[in-house]
Amino acid sequence: TDVTVGDIDVSDGAVSITATGGSVLDADALVGGANDGDQDITAVALRLNAGSGVGGNVNHLETSVGTLSAAAGDGGVYLLEADAVSVGDVGLSVNRVGSDGALTVVTDASQSDITSGNNGAIVLRSTAGGITLNEGAAISANGSGNVLVQTLGANQNITANADADISSGSGSISVLAAGGVIFNAQADIRTSSTGAGSGSIDVQAGSGAIEQDATSALVSTGAGATVRLLAATDVTVGDIDVSDGAVSITATGGSVL
């Protein structure tokens, strides 16, 4: 069922947590109705897999890791990272001690990306570092699940490397960087609108630029779709396709290129 996490510190290693029929939850209580300051998991790499959800929509799972992957089969994923983090492939093996004292290797296979189930939202925020998304369907919310990717630390960027997509079936997607936002080759945001209040794309660079590669696409299909880009400096446009909707681009201190 559930795995409730207190404090796991493997600062030079890797952690894998699987809650086959439940959720991975934070044992710490909220502080003033908000997330506490305790890091639940400290590691170089983190693999999370839950039959239900990962973290709570108010009480997020707090991490301090270099690379992470998370999969929620029937709910959302809510992560608050302390510093810089990459979304990528994570797998590991441990030695299980038998009743005879002998060892057997137990492996959790490599897992990629961050995914949700049953219309679950995905929230990935970093308090003091950048966020990097690596190749593949890097962040994918099921159905009407919304997505938030956000850096809170001053001048910290969000970078989607080549072929790293952020997607939802019909949820809204916000990519909010305190610094800049970079979409490399074929790094896309994709969703669809089923009417007002769904399927919007919101990209903001608080102190830097929004940079799309020529092959990067921001796409929302369906009536009522909207895309808003706001940068402190320049906005470099690759491909924006909202054929049945509206687009707003603002480069406060620079140019739209």
Side-chain angles (χ1 to χ4, degrees):
T1 58
D2 295 339
V3 176
T4 302
V5 179
D7 187 6
I8 300 174
D9 188 347
V10 191
S11 55
D12 294 321
V15 174
S16 177
I17 301 175
T18 304
T20 307
S23 298
V24 180
L25 303 169
D26 182 2
D28 299 312
L30 295 172
V31 178
N35 286 284
D36 63 278
D38 181 54
Q39 303 308 316
D40 302 311
I41 304 165
T42 301
V44 173
L46 174 62
R47 178 187 187 275
L48 299 166
N49 188 291
S52 293
V54 174
N57 62 348
V58 177
N59 195 359
H60 297 184
L61 200 64
E62 292 93 10
T63 64
S64 179
V65 301
T67 303
L68 69 83
S69 172
D74 193 33
V77 176
Y78 300 90
L79 300 170
L80 180 61
E81 168 62 29
D83 42 33
V85 66
S86 295
V87 176
D89 301 336
V90 181
L92 61 77
S93 297
V94 297
N95 296 317
R96 176 168 294 171
V97 182
S99 59
D100 60 356
L103 299 178
T104 303
V105 175
V106 178
T107 299
D108 284 349
S110 181
Q111 174 181 281
S112 303
D113 311 321
I114 300 177
T115 60
S116 70
N118 195 24
N119 304 306
I122 295 175
V123 174
L124 173 61
R125 298 183 297 153
S126 173
T127 58
I131 294 175
T132 301
L133 310 179
N134 290 314
E135 179 181 358
I139 295 180
S140 180
N142 173 265
S144 60
N146 299 317
V147 176
L148 169 63
V149 182
Q150 184 177 26
T151 56
L152 301 169
N155 302 316
Q156 296 299 318
N157 297 335
I158 296 172
T159 303
N161 284 330
D163 298 309
D165 295 343
I166 303 172
S167 66
S168 175
S170 60
S172 293
I173 298 173
S174 291
V175 179
L176 310 177
V181 182
I182 301 101
F183 297 98
N184 288 304
Q186 297 181 321
D188 303 337
I189 297 179
R190 294 183 178 272
T191 186
S192 64
S193 173
T194 56
S198 71
S200 70
I201 296 174
D202 174 26
V203 181
Q204 182 167 310
S207 65
I210 297 172
E211 304 172 42
Q212 268 190 287
D213 182 85
T215 60
S216 167
L218 309 183
V219 180
S220 184
T221 61
T226 55
V227 173
R228 177 181 183 266
L229 276 61
L230 170 62
T233 58
D234 294 338
V235 177
T236 302
V237 179
D239 183 10
I240 299 175
D241 186 352
V242 194
S243 55
D244 294 318
V247 176
S248 173
I249 303 174
T250 304
T252 305
S255 300
V256 180
L257 304 168

